[in-house]
Structures are given as C-alpha cells and as structure tokens.
Amino acid sequence: MTQKVAVLGTGKIGEALLSGMIRAGWAPADLLVTARRPERAEELRTRYGVEPVGNADAAKRADTLILAAKPQDMGRLLDELAPHITADRLVISAAAGITTASIEERLGENVPVVRVMPNTPVLVDEGMSVISAGAHASAAHLAHAEEIFGAVGKTLRVPESQQDACTALSGSGPAYFFYLVEAMTDAGILLGLPRDKAHDLIVQSAIGAAVMLRDSGEHPVKLRENVTSPAGTTISAIRELEKHGVRAALIAALEAARDRSRELASGSTG
C-alpha cells in the first residue's frame, strides 16, 4: 500500500483506526498522524512507528486525510487545511452530523469527500462504519474508504440522506446496549445476585444473542418467540416491558439522536 494516509485527530477512534490499519497491512511509514499535545504525538510514534506531523503538513503530504476530530472542532480544522488541499486528495470525515457539502464548501468544490460514521466497537475490531459519497467522490474513493474502515469491522454504504438515522442507530447504538446491561445488572443485584455474577450472566447472554442474530438468519421476533413459552417467565417480563412503554421509549430516543445529529450539521452546539 503506497498511498500516504493521515489520521487527523487521534483520540480513541482515531487511534483504533490507526492500529487496525497497521494490523491489516498498512506500513507505518505510509501513515501520518496529528495530535494536539507533543507528548501524545511522541506516544503514537513510539507505539506504532508512525510519523506525527502538523495539520498543514498532513494536508500537503497525504493522499488521503481522515478527519477524526470532534464535530465542534471541524470548522477550525477545515479552515486550517483548506489552503493546502487539492482535488487529487481524498478527504474522509468521521465527524457526526457534518455533511459532505459543508466540507466541500470549505475545502473547494472539486475535492472528493467521503462521510463515515463509525462506532466505538472499532476499538475491538467489531465496528460498524456507515459510508456515504460526497458530490465528487467516485466508486474508487468509496472502495478506498471501505478498505480503511474494514480494518476495524464492517462497513455499509448508504445515501447521505440516511446518515443521521444511521448515526442514531449504530453511531450511538453501543451506548444503548451498555445502558441496558447497566439496568439489567442492577436488576440482578435487586434479585439477590452479586454484581460480578449478574454482570457475567448478562454479558454472555448479550454476546450469545448477538451471534444468533448475526448467524441464524432468523427474524428477531422469531428468536424472541423461541424463548417465550406460554405462561412462562419470559412473557411475564415482556408484558412489563410493554406496559412501561420500552418500545416507544426506544423509538423516541433514536428520533432524539437523529435530531441532534441534524442540529450538529446546522452548527448548533447547545
């Protein structure tokens, strides 16, 4: 792999992507990174053998720039990059809610931009990254983005109009499962189990259920029905979930996440 790739913003997601690319075969010599703090830059150099550079230098030298900054920092970063970006570069944005059109407007209308929404399981190579093309991104650009993010999980192409919905579902999605596990652990303690045993029971149940959803080919309703015996324990629990409006609450929660993604796109930080 001879193209230079720069990761701008090396927090948890940026570093996970960097390490995944190296495991997938990218040579450290072909990877550039940026970091705000000199000690963080040196840490990345020591750990991965990559070269830390400034943002402007990354824009001048890299063929592909991955913008892993926070949404509220993107405006400043794009202004810094704009004088050095040319149409032969590929810009990949991993910032929630930031549209390709807004990036193209700041960088130049001919610059190819791909928008990607990864989620935190990229930290364990089980991420879900949703990919959309900007106005000037080609099929080759999308394939290149898939190659990069495929190093840390699965990828899915969608029209950019669906990105806010995908952010609500998969970008924020792991937090909903963590929240559910937290609540179920508390319930286990209430039922008399030690915290560590309740945690182990729930986590393994979650892993098993996820593998069944992925590998069985069965609809989730069918899988749930297989566990739900007439007049049994599971249906009693399901009745309580329905009585307390859990399904409606989940729908409302995802709508709220989608709406916040749209607000970020419009520049709202409130």
Side-chain angles (χ1 to χ4, degrees), residues 93-240:
S93 169
I98 307 299
T99 65
T100 58
S102 66
I103 297 173
E104 291 162 354
E105 183 178 358
R106 286 177 178 262
L107 296 183
E109 60 181 18
N110 294 320
V111 174
V113 178
V114 172
R115 178 177 171 183
V116 181
M117 184 68 247
N119 60 14
T120 55
V122 299
L123 297 169
V124 292
D125 293 348
E126 291 290 350
M128 184 71 245
S129 298
V130 183
I131 297 177
S132 301
H136 307 288
S138 66
H141 292 133
L142 285 172
H144 187 45
E146 288 174 331
E147 182 182 20
I148 292 171
F149 283 84
V152 289
K154 291 189 175 184
T155 63
L156 177 69
R157 292 189 195 186
V158 301
E160 189 170 7
S161 60
Q162 296 177 0
Q163 273 281 356
D164 293 321
C166 292
T167 296
L169 281 170
S170 69
S172 300
Y176 314 145
F177 291 101
F178 299 147
Y179 183 88
L180 181 61
V181 168
E182 178 187 1
M184 291 177 69
T185 301
D186 288 344
I189 295 169
L190 180 65
L191 296 173
L193 291 170
R195 178 176 293 275
D196 59 340
K197 287 185 171 58
H199 177 82
D200 288 347
L201 286 167
I202 295 160
V203 169
Q204 185 56 39
S205 295
I207 292 170
V211 171
M212 290 178 72
L213 282 166
R214 184 190 65 191
D215 296 346
S216 70
E218 296 281 4
H219 192 282
V221 170
K222 176 63 175 175
L223 293 173
R224 178 181 59 77
E225 288 177 344
N226 289 342
V227 189
T228 309
S229 302
T233 59
T234 305
I235 192 60
S236 295
I238 296 294
R239 180 184 62 182
E240 291 300 315

